[in-house]
């Protein structure tokens, strides 16, 4: 797949991108490099992995990171119940060594997302979502996979990749990531879209919604994000939800009343809702 074909696939998926993003995606894919994407929550980082899976016609394997994530949830686990059953059935076996060895064979191995992605016969897109939420120990554990495309399981040994996944890591920058991780990856930083790009996204995803209303929503969301009093900045998904909600209600014009009635689709906590109600509309987003 060349760069133009990749652009065409992203266009077909309705994904709005710029030249830098398309180029970085293409080069990372060509070189087989993992791609680290940083940016605020809700700017569309995860969507890139989904679009790439569709563009490449590959399965998407997703590992959602969280504090305390370990190898048993990310890489593999042994099927202890099946092992215990096998031990009970074969208790009188003469060859204890063979029994022990058989207990740590493929038959008892439960694949988790990382192992599944490298043992897949066909290449997949592996999304390691919100790596900044995982512990530093887990980040260090990932380095072998990212640099060697292999993993080590103590009872089995080293498992090399059958196919090389296209790896996308996302981070909301809740904590700094190690230089070792960054060195192994191509890098993208994504910011919230400007008004024009937000409008293009709304048009692409909600082609049936009135164009003038989309323009008002794009500007209103932009002003909400710029408002220092707003604690949780609206994501692109919330921008789409809001436009869809307004359209479902038959609303064609953003007024202070329509904003107050529907603000729960774009702002998701009581402090932010109270803030815009006190300010009257979205801090100056009313279009008159």
């Amino acid at each position: 797949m060349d760069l133009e074909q990749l652009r065409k696939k992203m266009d077909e998926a309705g994904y709005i991108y710029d030249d830098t993003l398309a180029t970085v995606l293409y080069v990372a894919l060509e070189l087989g490099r993992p791609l680290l994407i940083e940016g605020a929550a809700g700017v569309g980082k995860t969507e890139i992995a989904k679009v790439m899976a569709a563009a490449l016609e590959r399965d998407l394997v997703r590992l959602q990171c969280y504090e305390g994530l370990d190898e048993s949830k990310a890489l593999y686990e042994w099927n202890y119940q099946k092992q215990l059953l096998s031990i009970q059935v074969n208790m009188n076996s003469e060859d204890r060594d063979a029994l022990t060895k058989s207990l740590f064979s493929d038959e008892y191995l439960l694949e988790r997302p990382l192992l599944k992605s490298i043992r897949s016969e066909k290449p997949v897109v592996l999304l390691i979502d919100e790596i900044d939420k995982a512990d530093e120990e887990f980040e260090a554990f990932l380095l072998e996979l990212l640099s060697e495309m292999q993993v080590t399981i103590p009872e089995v040994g080293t498992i090399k990749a059958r196919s090389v996944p296209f790896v996308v890591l996302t981070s909301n920058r809740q904590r700094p990531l190690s230089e070792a991780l960054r060195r192994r990856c191509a890098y993208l930083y994504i910011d919230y879209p400007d008004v024009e790009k937000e409008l293009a996204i709304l048009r692409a995803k909600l082609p049936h919604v009135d164009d003038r209303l989309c323009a008002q929503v794009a500007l209103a969301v932009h002003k909400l994000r710029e408002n220092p009093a707003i604690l949780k900045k609206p994501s692109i998904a919330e921008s789409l939800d809001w436009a869809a909600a307004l359209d479902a209600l038959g609303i064609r014009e953003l007024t202070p009343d329509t904003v107050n009635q529907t603000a729960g689709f774009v702002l998701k906590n009581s402090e932010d809702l109270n803030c815009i109600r006190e300010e009257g509309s979205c801090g100056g987003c009313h279009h008159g």
Side-chain angles (χ1 to χ4, degrees):
M1 180 182 289
D2 62 25
L3 182 54
E4 283 312 306
Q5 287 173 315
L6 179 59
R7 286 174 186 272
K8 188 165 176 283
K9 291 282 189 182
M10 289 198 287
D11 289 338
E12 287 169 6
Y15 188 79
I16 307 300
Y17 58 91
D18 57 26
D19 287 345
T20 300
L21 190 147
T23 303
V24 171
L25 280 175
Y26 174 70
V27 174
L29 184 63
E30 277 293 293
L31 298 180
R33 291 287 295 278
L35 175 62
L36 170 61
I37 309 173
E38 287 191 319
V43 296
K45 302 184 296 296
T46 301
E47 190 68 16
I48 290 177
K50 293 177 182 175
V51 168
M52 287 301 285
L56 299 168
E57 297 178 346
R58 296 185 183 187
D59 288 339
L60 177 68
V61 177
R62 181 174 184 168
L63 174 65
Q64 180 62 50
C65 297
Y66 53 87
E67 195 175 341
L69 176 65
D70 60 14
E71 290 179 41
S72 69
K73 295 291 184 288
L75 182 60
Y76 76 100
E77 201 169 5
W78 293 109
N79 189 334
Y80 298 119
Q81 288 173 314
K82 198 172 178 182
Q83 285 174 325
L84 284 170
L85 191 61
S86 181
I87 290 167
Q88 288 169 345
V89 169
N90 297 291
M91 273 183 67
N92 300 321
S93 167
E94 296 292 318
D95 192 346
R96 291 298 175 89
D97 286 345
L99 173 59
T100 304
K101 193 174 180 183
S102 74
L103 291 173
F104 295 103
S105 63
D106 248 23
E107 190 184 342
Y108 301 95
L109 189 63
L110 299 174
E111 290 182 345
R112 298 300 183 225
L114 299 182
L115 187 60
K116 182 180 179 182
S117 70
I118 67 164
R119 295 217 315 174
S120 172
E121 294 296 338
K122 294 179 179 176
V124 301
V125 172
L126 170 62
L127 169 61
I128 302 174
D129 214 6
E130 300 185 307
I131 179 64
D132 52 321
K133 287 187 177 175
D135 304 322
E136 289 174 18
E137 291 79 8
F138 180 75
E139 189 187 322
F141 153 74
L142 269 182
L143 297 179
E144 180 186 18
L145 172 70
L146 296 179
S147 56
E148 308 292 335
M149 282 299 153
Q150 65 182 35
V151 293
T152 302
I153 295 177
E155 302 88 346
V156 177
T158 300
I159 297 176
K160 293 187 179 294
R162 285 179 191 160
S163 58
V164 178
F166 179 61
V167 184
V168 176
L169 302 97
T170 72
S171 166
N172 297 338
R173 308 181 83 184
Q174 286 195 355
R175 68 169 178 84
L177 300 176
S178 71
E179 288 305 312
L181 180 79
R182 290 179 181 280
R183 274 198 305 273
R184 285 162 173 79
C185 300
Y187 181 77
L188 258 180
Y189 179 79
I190 301 182
D191 211 340
Y192 286 114
D194 58 22
V195 177
E196 289 75 18
K197 187 176 178 184
E198 189 103 31
L199 179 54
I201 293 168
L202 287 166
R203 283 172 175 158
K205 299 290 186 186
L206 303 170
H208 59 284
V209 176
D210 181 78
D211 200 60
R212 186 165 178 269
L213 180 64
C214 283
Q216 291 183 8
V217 167
L219 183 58
V221 168
H222 181 69
K223 291 192 174 181
L224 284 170
R225 290 185 190 133
E226 285 191 327
N227 187 337
I230 299 295
L231 301 174
K232 188 194 175 297
K233 309 302 181 190
S235 68
I236 293 170
E238 284 153 355
S239 176
L240 290 163
D241 279 353
W242 194 22
L246 291 163
D247 181 65
L249 289 167
I251 293 169
R252 295 287 175 268
E253 181 80 39
L254 270 189
T255 65
D257 281 346
T258 58
V259 168
N260 282 336
Q261 288 164 16
T262 59
F265 286 95
V266 70
L267 298 173
K268 299 299 171 72
N269 64 48
S270 59
E271 295 89 345
D272 289 344
L273 289 173
N274 289 336
C275 172
I276 68 158
R277 280 167 189 153
E278 285 164 14
E279 290 185 0
S281 187
C282 323
C285 68
H286 172 44
H287 278 250

